[in-house]
Amino acid sequence: MRLVAIFTLVPLFGFASITSGGTGPLTGFAAFGDSYSAGIGTGVDGKEDDCRHGLGSHAVLIAADLRASQGGRNSTAFQFLSCTGATTREVLSGGDNSQVDAFNASLPADFALLSIGGNDLGFFDVMNACVFRFYNFYSGTCQTALANAKAQIESDEFDQRLQIVTTEILDKARWEKKPWFIITVTGYARFFNDVTDECDDMSFGIWWNGPKLKKDLRMKMNAMVLTVNAKIRKTVELVNSRFTKDKVIFVDYDREFDGHRFCEEGVQEPDYGRTDTWFFLVGGPDNARNGTRPERVSDLAVLDASSPLVDPSSCLEPARRSGDWGMLALCYMAMAKQQDPSLQLARGDDIAENSMWYVPTYYGKTFHPRSLGHEAIRNKIYEAWRALD
């Protein structure tokens, strides 16, 4: 069966070969979702696109493995539809930037990847209020941000939209004619080791004297991630209950990040030199393996002084509309600096030497997986595929 041919993995996570008499792609897949799927910060080939696609994304790694096993670049149709800032609304059909509408069903598509939920459920608002304080004290209280996230998670709205998203992808792929077609939904990983003592007096705050990474905060933020994963898992189970055979699988890679989170034993945060941390810091380098590191020029590029992204009088509405963490961070920092010119950065290099702002990815990649994290996500996906009936 084609499902077996596509998902049978050989050592080193290569794919089994599929033979075809045609000249077009032998197989293909589409990646949907948010910045965790887009791979923000993991390298670009040339100019970064608006969706912040990174070459180290687990979706790109899977496409590369599939192409290598099938005979080269043109053997696999890869539709990279994921976009930084996306919510379920941007995936659903009918919107201005609908990923489902952009999905070309005339190309080979044997499975789909989906990462979604963090933007729907308020991850950035919690990061801003509890950790970074990009808008200084105007960022609101951490307690309020956590309460708002909790209310979003406990509501049924996200569940319902996620069910519609998976249904629309299946229908667009014509699953009735492709019994092997399946959607792989990935969750999120906890950000912190929440039992260590060293981080209690440390801060990731963007401005001087920022909030401390107390155990209580780390535990609450970790609990938020676990609750989101549980919600996604439950929704996947509900979708599958409507089919005679599972059409969606949930991949929980959280445990793969054990030992690779922020605030690990003996680590003095923020530790920009620790490659074994699998999440980005603001402005932090990637940790791609030697020989796989693409050129990274976009993270250090600066914005023009007249860029609307840092115009405090008009930047907020488009930043909120985009959902892009980097655009939001930039706008909030510009607004905070306008309201209090005496503000001092916690780290001098969070703004370029000429007092210019860096491009959004410099700030927006924070708390997203670095390249080694994406490798772990890919490997966990392969493990889940091996277990398929």
Side-chain angles (χ1 to χ4, degrees):
M1 293 178 62
R2 191 171 177 85
L3 176 64
V4 176
I6 294 166
F7 290 162
T8 297
L9 306 174
V10 296
L12 301 181
F13 302 110
F15 286 81
S17 176
I18 304 172
T19 59
S20 170
T23 59
L26 304 176
T27 185
F29 72 98
F32 300 86
D34 55 21
S35 49
Y36 272 64
S37 175
I40 183 173
T42 60
V44 295
D45 184 7
K47 184 180 178 181
E48 181 181 61
D49 62 32
D50 290 341
C51 283
R52 321 283 186 221
H53 288 143
L55 296 177
S57 162
H58 60 273
V60 174
L61 298 180
I62 290 172
D65 287 343
L66 194 52
R67 284 168 175 158
S69 72
Q70 302 307 316
R73 187 174 188 83
N74 295 325
S75 65
T76 301
F78 173 39
Q79 299 184 60
F80 202 4
L81 305 174
S82 313
C83 198
T84 291
T87 66
T88 48
R89 294 186 188 279
E90 279 72 53
V91 182
L92 289 169
S93 64
D96 292 338
N97 300 302
S98 167
Q99 295 178 20
V100 167
D101 288 347
F103 177 30
N104 186 349
S106 68
L107 294 174
D110 298 297
F111 60 93
L113 304 178
L114 173 64
S115 168
I116 203 72
N119 295 320
D120 292 81
L121 303 171
F123 274 19
F124 176 81
D125 291 338
V126 172
M127 302 293 180
N128 182 37
C130 301
V131 178
F132 296 106
R133 310 288 291 172
F134 292 114
Y135 197 13
N136 199 22
F137 58 83
Y138 300 103
S139 297
T141 69
C142 179
Q143 181 179 4
T144 298
L146 286 168
N148 289 340
K150 184 174 184 290
Q152 289 285 338
I153 294 169
E154 291 178 349
S155 77
D156 294 331
E157 187 176 356
F158 171 72
D159 309 52
Q160 293 167 358
R161 290 203 301 268
L162 181 56
Q163 290 178 53
I164 297 171
V165 163
T166 55
T167 300
E168 287 189 348
I169 293 173
L170 288 169
D171 289 345
K172 189 74 177 282
R174 304 186 185 99
W175 67 270
E176 300 97 330
K177 297 181 178 180
K178 298 178 181 177
W180 61 84
F181 188 91
I182 199 163
I183 302 173
T184 300
V185 181
T186 49
Y188 299 91
R190 288 169 292 165
F191 305 115
F192 299 103
N193 181 327
D194 57 20
V195 300
T196 53
D197 296 319
E198 293 92 336
C199 262
D200 282 353
D201 295 321
M202 299 174 193
S203 176
F204 287 160
I206 202 75
W207 305 110
W208 183 76
N209 200 26
K212 306 300 183 185
L213 298 171
K214 299 288 188 182
K215 281 184 183 177
D216 181 63
L217 171 62
R218 286 180 273 150
M219 291 175 66
K220 288 178 178 177
M221 292 185 66
N222 281 352
M224 175 185 71
V225 173
L226 292 179
T227 304
V228 169
N229 283 349
K231 190 176 187 69
I232 296 173
R233 184 192 300 275
K234 182 178 179 181
T235 304
V236 167
E237 291 172 351
L238 181 59
V239 171
N240 284 329
S241 69
R242 299 169 183 164
F243 296 90
T244 57
K245 190 173 183 178
D246 289 355
K247 302 303 298 178
V248 187
I249 59 173
F250 174 66
V251 175
D252 186 350
Y253 58 81
D254 173 65
R255 288 292 183 187
E256 307 306 304
F257 277 62
D258 284 349
H260 305 287
R261 311 181 200 274
F262 294 126
C263 297
E264 296 290 1
E265 190 74 37
V267 177
Q268 298 291 312
E269 299 288 6
D271 188 343
Y272 281 81
R274 185 175 189 259
T275 59
D276 222 19
T277 300
W278 287 355
F279 291 109
F280 278 108
L281 289 163
V282 167
D286 194 15
N287 61 354
R289 301 177 188 277
N290 288 331
T292 64
R293 296 174 183 167
E295 291 298 320
R296 289 173 178 79
V297 294
S298 59
D299 286 1
L300 299 179
V302 294
L303 295 170
D304 185 273
S306 62
S307 171
L309 295 178
V310 289
D311 182 345
S313 66
S314 60
C315 61
L316 190 54
E317 182 181 350
R320 283 177 170 167
R321 191 168 57 247
S322 74
D324 187 309
W325 291 17
M327 290 176 61
L328 285 163
L330 274 169
C331 183
Y332 282 138
M333 291 168 69
M335 292 168 62
K337 195 67 174 174
Q338 181 191 51
Q339 297 191 29
D340 184 358
S342 67
L343 277 176
Q344 296 295 314
L345 289 162
R347 295 175 62 251
D349 55 357
D350 282 334
I351 294 181
E353 291 181 3
N354 56 1
S355 297
M356 300 284 282
W357 302 101
Y358 289 114
V359 292
T361 295
Y362 185 92
Y363 310 97
K365 65 186 178 182
T366 186
F367 277 64
H368 286 79
R370 299 162 84 185
S371 284
L372 292 182
H374 279 284
E375 286 188 21
I377 297 170
R378 174 200 61 183
N379 295 348
K380 193 66 178 178
I381 290 172
Y382 288 173
E383 180 182 316
W385 287 352
R386 285 197 194 95
L388 289 174
D389 180 9

PDB file of all heavy atoms in Angstrom, residues 6-37:
ATOM      1  N   ILE A   6       5.296   5.215   1.819  1.00  0.00           N
ATOM      2  CA  ILE A   6       5.696   6.563   2.196  1.00  0.00           C
ATOM      3  C   ILE A   6       6.217   6.620   3.624  1.00  0.00           C
ATOM      4  O   ILE A   6       7.219   7.275   3.916  1.00  0.00           O
ATOM      5  CB  ILE A   6       4.497   7.522   2.044  1.00  0.00           C
ATOM      6  CG1 ILE A   6       4.129   7.640   0.572  1.00  0.00           C
ATOM      7  CG2 ILE A   6       4.805   8.904   2.611  1.00  0.00           C
ATOM      8  CD1 ILE A   6       2.802   8.277   0.331  1.00  0.00           C
ATOM      9  N   PHE A   7       5.570   5.916   4.538  1.00  0.00           N
ATOM     10  CA  PHE A   7       5.913   6.057   5.946  1.00  0.00           C
ATOM     11  C   PHE A   7       6.884   4.998   6.460  1.00  0.00           C
ATOM     12  O   PHE A   7       7.242   5.001   7.617  1.00  0.00           O
ATOM     13  CB  PHE A   7       4.642   6.023   6.808  1.00  0.00           C
ATOM     14  CG  PHE A   7       3.784   7.247   6.656  1.00  0.00           C
ATOM     15  CD1 PHE A   7       2.457   7.226   7.044  1.00  0.00           C
ATOM     16  CD2 PHE A   7       4.314   8.417   6.138  1.00  0.00           C
ATOM     17  CE1 PHE A   7       1.675   8.358   6.917  1.00  0.00           C
ATOM     18  CE2 PHE A   7       3.527   9.555   5.998  1.00  0.00           C
ATOM     19  CZ  PHE A   7       2.202   9.521   6.392  1.00  0.00           C
ATOM     20  N   THR A   8       7.277   4.046   5.629  1.00  0.00           N
ATOM     21  CA  THR A   8       8.279   3.087   6.068  1.00  0.00           C
ATOM     22  C   THR A   8       9.634   3.773   6.067  1.00  0.00           C
ATOM     23  O   THR A   8      10.090   4.243   5.046  1.00  0.00           O
ATOM     24  CB  THR A   8       8.322   1.871   5.131  1.00  0.00           C
ATOM     25  OG1 THR A   8       7.060   1.210   5.185  1.00  0.00           O
ATOM     26  CG2 THR A   8       9.416   0.905   5.570  1.00  0.00           C
ATOM     27  N   LEU A   9      10.254   3.849   7.227  1.00  0.00           N
ATOM     28  CA  LEU A   9      11.510   4.579   7.350  1.00  0.00           C
ATOM     29  C   LEU A   9      12.668   3.610   7.474  1.00  0.00           C
ATOM     30  O   LEU A   9      12.593   2.600   8.154  1.00  0.00           O
ATOM     31  CB  LEU A   9      11.465   5.492   8.583  1.00  0.00           C
ATOM     32  CG  LEU A   9      10.269   6.442   8.613  1.00  0.00           C
ATOM     33  CD1 LEU A   9      10.225   7.188   9.920  1.00  0.00           C
ATOM     34  CD2 LEU A   9      10.366   7.409   7.465  1.00  0.00           C
ATOM     35  N   VAL A  10      13.766   3.947   6.834  1.00  0.00           N
ATOM     36  CA  VAL A  10      14.972   3.143   6.919  1.00  0.00           C
ATOM     37  C   VAL A  10      15.899   3.784   7.929  1.00  0.00           C
ATOM     38  O   VAL A  10      15.637   4.874   8.412  1.00  0.00           O
ATOM     39  CB  VAL A  10      15.645   3.042   5.526  1.00  0.00           C
ATOM     40  CG1 VAL A  10      14.742   2.328   4.568  1.00  0.00           C
ATOM     41  CG2 VAL A  10      16.002   4.418   4.982  1.00  0.00           C
ATOM     42  N   PRO A  11      16.995   3.120   8.317  1.00  0.00           N
ATOM     43  CA  PRO A  11      17.916   3.717   9.279  1.00  0.00           C
ATOM     44  C   PRO A  11      18.313   5.133   8.874  1.00  0.00           C
ATOM     45  O   PRO A  11      18.356   5.491   7.704  1.00  0.00           O
ATOM     46  CB  PRO A  11      19.110   2.756   9.239  1.00  0.00           C
ATOM     47  CG  PRO A  11      18.516   1.441   8.868  1.00  0.00           C
ATOM     48  CD  PRO A  11      17.414   1.774   7.903  1.00  0.00           C
ATOM     49  N   LEU A  12      18.597   5.940   9.880  1.00  0.00           N
ATOM     50  CA  LEU A  12      18.945   7.351   9.714  1.00  0.00           C
ATOM     51  C   LEU A  12      17.762   8.157   9.208  1.00  0.00           C
ATOM     52  O   LEU A  12      17.907   9.272   8.715  1.00  0.00           O
ATOM     53  CB  LEU A  12      20.141   7.537   8.772  1.00  0.00           C
ATOM     54  CG  LEU A  12      21.429   6.836   9.202  1.00  0.00           C
ATOM     55  CD1 LEU A  12      22.528   7.129   8.190  1.00  0.00           C
ATOM     56  CD2 LEU A  12      21.857   7.281  10.592  1.00  0.00           C
ATOM     57  N   PHE A  13      16.557   7.596   9.369  1.00  0.00           N
ATOM     58  CA  PHE A  13      15.314   8.282   9.079  1.00  0.00           C
ATOM     59  C   PHE A  13      15.121   8.588   7.605  1.00  0.00           C
ATOM     60  O   PHE A  13      14.406   9.506   7.225  1.00  0.00           O
ATOM     61  CB  PHE A  13      15.203   9.583   9.896  1.00  0.00           C
ATOM     62  CG  PHE A  13      15.289   9.355  11.365  1.00  0.00           C
ATOM     63  CD1 PHE A  13      16.403   9.771  12.065  1.00  0.00           C
ATOM     64  CD2 PHE A  13      14.265   8.708  12.047  1.00  0.00           C
ATOM     65  CE1 PHE A  13      16.493   9.567  13.435  1.00  0.00           C
ATOM     66  CE2 PHE A  13      14.355   8.496  13.402  1.00  0.00           C
ATOM     67  CZ  PHE A  13      15.467   8.922  14.102  1.00  0.00           C
ATOM     68  N   GLY A  14      15.724   7.833   6.734  1.00  0.00           N
ATOM     69  CA  GLY A  14      15.441   7.989   5.306  1.00  0.00           C
ATOM     70  C   GLY A  14      14.139   7.299   4.972  1.00  0.00           C
ATOM     71  O   GLY A  14      13.657   6.467   5.714  1.00  0.00           O
ATOM     72  N   PHE A  15      13.568   7.622   3.839  1.00  0.00           N
ATOM     73  CA  PHE A  15      12.314   7.013   3.429  1.00  0.00           C
ATOM     74  C   PHE A  15      12.566   5.877   2.443  1.00  0.00           C
ATOM     75  O   PHE A  15      13.507   5.893   1.672  1.00  0.00           O
ATOM     76  CB  PHE A  15      11.412   8.048   2.756  1.00  0.00           C
ATOM     77  CG  PHE A  15      10.794   9.015   3.695  1.00  0.00           C
ATOM     78  CD1 PHE A  15      11.506  10.114   4.152  1.00  0.00           C
ATOM     79  CD2 PHE A  15       9.504   8.836   4.141  1.00  0.00           C
ATOM     80  CE1 PHE A  15      10.928  11.015   5.012  1.00  0.00           C
ATOM     81  CE2 PHE A  15       8.913   9.732   5.006  1.00  0.00           C
ATOM     82  CZ  PHE A  15       9.639  10.828   5.449  1.00  0.00           C
ATOM     83  N   ALA A  16      11.695   4.920   2.471  1.00  0.00           N
ATOM     84  CA  ALA A  16      11.761   3.845   1.484  1.00  0.00           C
ATOM     85  C   ALA A  16      11.458   4.415   0.106  1.00  0.00           C
ATOM     86  O   ALA A  16      10.754   5.394  -0.046  1.00  0.00           O
ATOM     87  CB  ALA A  16      10.760   2.749   1.834  1.00  0.00           C
ATOM     88  N   SER A  17      11.991   3.788  -0.903  1.00  0.00           N
ATOM     89  CA  SER A  17      11.827   4.300  -2.262  1.00  0.00           C
ATOM     90  C   SER A  17      10.433   3.997  -2.800  1.00  0.00           C
ATOM     91  O   SER A  17       9.855   2.959  -2.517  1.00  0.00           O
ATOM     92  CB  SER A  17      12.879   3.662  -3.172  1.00  0.00           C
ATOM     93  OG  SER A  17      12.690   4.075  -4.506  1.00  0.00           O
ATOM     94  N   ILE A  18       9.907   4.943  -3.565  1.00  0.00           N
ATOM     95  CA  ILE A  18       8.644   4.758  -4.271  1.00  0.00           C
ATOM     96  C   ILE A  18       8.948   4.844  -5.754  1.00  0.00           C
ATOM     97  O   ILE A  18       9.601   5.769  -6.203  1.00  0.00           O
ATOM     98  CB  ILE A  18       7.622   5.848  -3.894  1.00  0.00           C
ATOM     99  CG1 ILE A  18       7.411   5.883  -2.380  1.00  0.00           C
ATOM    100  CG2 ILE A  18       6.319   5.635  -4.617  1.00  0.00           C
ATOM    101  CD1 ILE A  18       6.564   7.058  -1.931  1.00  0.00           C
ATOM    102  N   THR A  19       8.473   3.904  -6.510  1.00  0.00           N
ATOM    103  CA  THR A  19       8.752   3.925  -7.941  1.00  0.00           C
ATOM    104  C   THR A  19       7.528   4.377  -8.711  1.00  0.00           C
ATOM    105  O   THR A  19       6.397   4.144  -8.302  1.00  0.00           O
ATOM    106  CB  THR A  19       9.163   2.530  -8.436  1.00  0.00           C
ATOM    107  OG1 THR A  19       8.101   1.609  -8.149  1.00  0.00           O
ATOM    108  CG2 THR A  19      10.440   2.071  -7.749  1.00  0.00           C
ATOM    109  N   SER A  20       7.778   5.055  -9.812  1.00  0.00           N
ATOM    110  CA  SER A  20       6.685   5.545 -10.639  1.00  0.00           C
ATOM    111  C   SER A  20       7.163   5.667 -12.071  1.00  0.00           C
ATOM    112  O   SER A  20       8.316   5.986 -12.320  1.00  0.00           O
ATOM    113  CB  SER A  20       6.206   6.921 -10.139  1.00  0.00           C
ATOM    114  OG  SER A  20       5.309   7.493 -11.061  1.00  0.00           O
ATOM    115  N   GLY A  21       6.270   5.454 -12.993  1.00  0.00           N
ATOM    116  CA  GLY A  21       6.634   5.572 -14.385  1.00  0.00           C
ATOM    117  C   GLY A  21       6.501   6.979 -14.911  1.00  0.00           C
ATOM    118  O   GLY A  21       6.899   7.274 -16.029  1.00  0.00           O
ATOM    119  N   GLY A  22       5.924   7.899 -14.085  1.00  0.00           N
ATOM    120  CA  GLY A  22       5.719   9.263 -14.535  1.00  0.00           C
ATOM    121  C   GLY A  22       6.975  10.098 -14.420  1.00  0.00           C
ATOM    122  O   GLY A  22       7.995   9.682 -13.893  1.00  0.00           O
ATOM    123  N   THR A  23       6.890  11.329 -14.952  1.00  0.00           N
ATOM    124  CA  THR A  23       8.030  12.239 -14.904  1.00  0.00           C
ATOM    125  C   THR A  23       7.871  13.306 -13.840  1.00  0.00           C
ATOM    126  O   THR A  23       8.808  14.049 -13.578  1.00  0.00           O
ATOM    127  CB  THR A  23       8.205  12.927 -16.270  1.00  0.00           C
ATOM    128  OG1 THR A  23       7.005  13.639 -16.587  1.00  0.00           O
ATOM    129  CG2 THR A  23       8.520  11.909 -17.347  1.00  0.00           C
ATOM    130  N   GLY A  24       6.692  13.432 -13.253  1.00  0.00           N
ATOM    131  CA  GLY A  24       6.461  14.444 -12.225  1.00  0.00           C
ATOM    132  C   GLY A  24       6.852  13.936 -10.849  1.00  0.00           C
ATOM    133  O   GLY A  24       7.437  12.857 -10.703  1.00  0.00           O
ATOM    134  N   PRO A  25       6.541  14.732  -9.806  1.00  0.00           N
ATOM    135  CA  PRO A  25       6.849  14.314  -8.445  1.00  0.00           C
ATOM    136  C   PRO A  25       6.195  12.977  -8.106  1.00  0.00           C
ATOM    137  O   PRO A  25       5.052  12.707  -8.498  1.00  0.00           O
ATOM    138  CB  PRO A  25       6.259  15.447  -7.589  1.00  0.00           C
ATOM    139  CG  PRO A  25       6.191  16.624  -8.502  1.00  0.00           C
ATOM    140  CD  PRO A  25       5.907  16.057  -9.856  1.00  0.00           C
ATOM    141  N   LEU A  26       6.917  12.134  -7.375  1.00  0.00           N
ATOM    142  CA  LEU A  26       6.401  10.820  -7.010  1.00  0.00           C
ATOM    143  C   LEU A  26       5.462  10.894  -5.815  1.00  0.00           C
ATOM    144  O   LEU A  26       4.558  10.083  -5.678  1.00  0.00           O
ATOM    145  CB  LEU A  26       7.571   9.887  -6.675  1.00  0.00           C
ATOM    146  CG  LEU A  26       8.628   9.716  -7.764  1.00  0.00           C
ATOM    147  CD1 LEU A  26       9.769   8.853  -7.257  1.00  0.00           C
ATOM    148  CD2 LEU A  26       8.006   9.091  -8.999  1.00  0.00           C
ATOM    149  N   THR A  27       5.730  11.845  -4.944  1.00  0.00           N
ATOM    150  CA  THR A  27       4.926  11.987  -3.739  1.00  0.00           C
ATOM    151  C   THR A  27       4.976  13.446  -3.321  1.00  0.00           C
ATOM    152  O   THR A  27       5.562  14.283  -4.006  1.00  0.00           O
ATOM    153  CB  THR A  27       5.461  11.072  -2.620  1.00  0.00           C
ATOM    154  OG1 THR A  27       4.580  11.148  -1.489  1.00  0.00           O
ATOM    155  CG2 THR A  27       6.868  11.490  -2.188  1.00  0.00           C
ATOM    156  N   GLY A  28       4.334  13.764  -2.219  1.00  0.00           N
ATOM    157  CA  GLY A  28       4.349  15.144  -1.766  1.00  0.00           C
ATOM    158  C   GLY A  28       3.583  15.309  -0.474  1.00  0.00           C
ATOM    159  O   GLY A  28       2.913  14.388  -0.001  1.00  0.00           O
ATOM    160  N   PHE A  29       3.705  16.493   0.102  1.00  0.00           N
ATOM    161  CA  PHE A  29       2.961  16.807   1.321  1.00  0.00           C
ATOM    162  C   PHE A  29       2.894  18.316   1.481  1.00  0.00           C
ATOM    163  O   PHE A  29       3.571  19.079   0.777  1.00  0.00           O
ATOM    164  CB  PHE A  29       3.590  16.157   2.549  1.00  0.00           C
ATOM    165  CG  PHE A  29       4.895  16.757   3.011  1.00  0.00           C
ATOM    166  CD1 PHE A  29       4.931  17.670   4.057  1.00  0.00           C
ATOM    167  CD2 PHE A  29       6.095  16.402   2.405  1.00  0.00           C
ATOM    168  CE1 PHE A  29       6.128  18.222   4.493  1.00  0.00           C
ATOM    169  CE2 PHE A  29       7.301  16.942   2.841  1.00  0.00           C
ATOM    170  CZ  PHE A  29       7.316  17.856   3.884  1.00  0.00           C
ATOM    171  N   ALA A  30       2.059  18.748   2.416  1.00  0.00           N
ATOM    172  CA  ALA A  30       1.910  20.167   2.709  1.00  0.00           C
ATOM    173  C   ALA A  30       2.110  20.393   4.204  1.00  0.00           C
ATOM    174  O   ALA A  30       1.724  19.554   5.023  1.00  0.00           O
ATOM    175  CB  ALA A  30       0.534  20.664   2.286  1.00  0.00           C
ATOM    176  N   ALA A  31       2.729  21.514   4.537  1.00  0.00           N
ATOM    177  CA  ALA A  31       2.908  21.916   5.932  1.00  0.00           C
ATOM    178  C   ALA A  31       2.054  23.139   6.198  1.00  0.00           C
ATOM    179  O   ALA A  31       2.154  24.146   5.494  1.00  0.00           O
ATOM    180  CB  ALA A  31       4.374  22.212   6.222  1.00  0.00           C
ATOM    181  N   PHE A  32       1.203  23.041   7.206  1.00  0.00           N
ATOM    182  CA  PHE A  32       0.306  24.130   7.591  1.00  0.00           C
ATOM    183  C   PHE A  32       0.661  24.601   9.003  1.00  0.00           C
ATOM    184  O   PHE A  32       1.242  23.861   9.793  1.00  0.00           O
ATOM    185  CB  PHE A  32      -1.154  23.656   7.612  1.00  0.00           C
ATOM    186  CG  PHE A  32      -1.689  23.146   6.312  1.00  0.00           C
ATOM    187  CD1 PHE A  32      -1.513  21.815   5.944  1.00  0.00           C
ATOM    188  CD2 PHE A  32      -2.392  23.978   5.446  1.00  0.00           C
ATOM    189  CE1 PHE A  32      -2.024  21.322   4.750  1.00  0.00           C
ATOM    190  CE2 PHE A  32      -2.902  23.499   4.250  1.00  0.00           C
ATOM    191  CZ  PHE A  32      -2.726  22.169   3.906  1.00  0.00           C
ATOM    192  N   GLY A  33       0.266  25.846   9.303  1.00  0.00           N
ATOM    193  CA  GLY A  33       0.364  26.260  10.694  1.00  0.00           C
ATOM    194  C   GLY A  33       1.117  27.544  10.930  1.00  0.00           C
ATOM    195  O   GLY A  33       1.152  28.449  10.097  1.00  0.00           O
ATOM    196  N   ASP A  34       1.760  27.592  12.111  1.00  0.00           N
ATOM    197  CA  ASP A  34       2.324  28.824  12.644  1.00  0.00           C
ATOM    198  C   ASP A  34       3.842  28.842  12.564  1.00  0.00           C
ATOM    199  O   ASP A  34       4.457  28.075  11.820  1.00  0.00           O
ATOM    200  CB  ASP A  34       1.846  29.011  14.089  1.00  0.00           C
ATOM    201  CG  ASP A  34       2.174  27.809  14.982  1.00  0.00           C
ATOM    202  OD1 ASP A  34       3.085  27.023  14.640  1.00  0.00           O
ATOM    203  OD2 ASP A  34       1.524  27.661  16.037  1.00  0.00           O
ATOM    204  N   SER A  35       4.466  29.704  13.354  1.00  0.00           N
ATOM    205  CA  SER A  35       5.920  29.892  13.311  1.00  0.00           C
ATOM    206  C   SER A  35       6.683  28.668  13.787  1.00  0.00           C
ATOM    207  O   SER A  35       7.846  28.475  13.405  1.00  0.00           O
ATOM    208  CB  SER A  35       6.312  31.105  14.166  1.00  0.00           C
ATOM    209  OG  SER A  35       5.708  31.045  15.453  1.00  0.00           O
ATOM    210  N   TYR A  36       6.054  27.826  14.610  1.00  0.00           N
ATOM    211  CA  TYR A  36       6.737  26.610  15.051  1.00  0.00           C
ATOM    212  C   TYR A  36       6.918  25.641  13.891  1.00  0.00           C
ATOM    213  O   TYR A  36       7.848  24.840  13.877  1.00  0.00           O
ATOM    214  CB  TYR A  36       5.954  25.944  16.191  1.00  0.00           C
ATOM    215  CG  TYR A  36       6.338  26.455  17.558  1.00  0.00           C
ATOM    216  CD1 TYR A  36       6.122  27.780  17.913  1.00  0.00           C
ATOM    217  CD2 TYR A  36       6.934  25.627  18.491  1.00  0.00           C
ATOM    218  CE1 TYR A  36       6.472  28.267  19.150  1.00  0.00           C
ATOM    219  CE2 TYR A  36       7.295  26.089  19.746  1.00  0.00           C
ATOM    220  CZ  TYR A  36       7.061  27.415  20.067  1.00  0.00           C
ATOM    221  OH  TYR A  36       7.430  27.894  21.303  1.00  0.00           O
ATOM    222  N   SER A  37       6.046  25.712  12.930  1.00  0.00           N
ATOM    223  CA  SER A  37       6.182  24.919  11.715  1.00  0.00           C
ATOM    224  C   SER A  37       7.038  25.648  10.684  1.00  0.00           C
ATOM    225  O   SER A  37       7.819  25.030   9.959  1.00  0.00           O
ATOM    226  CB  SER A  37       4.807  24.616  11.125  1.00  0.00           C
ATOM    227  OG  SER A  37       4.901  23.951   9.891  1.00  0.00           O
TER     228      SER A  37
END
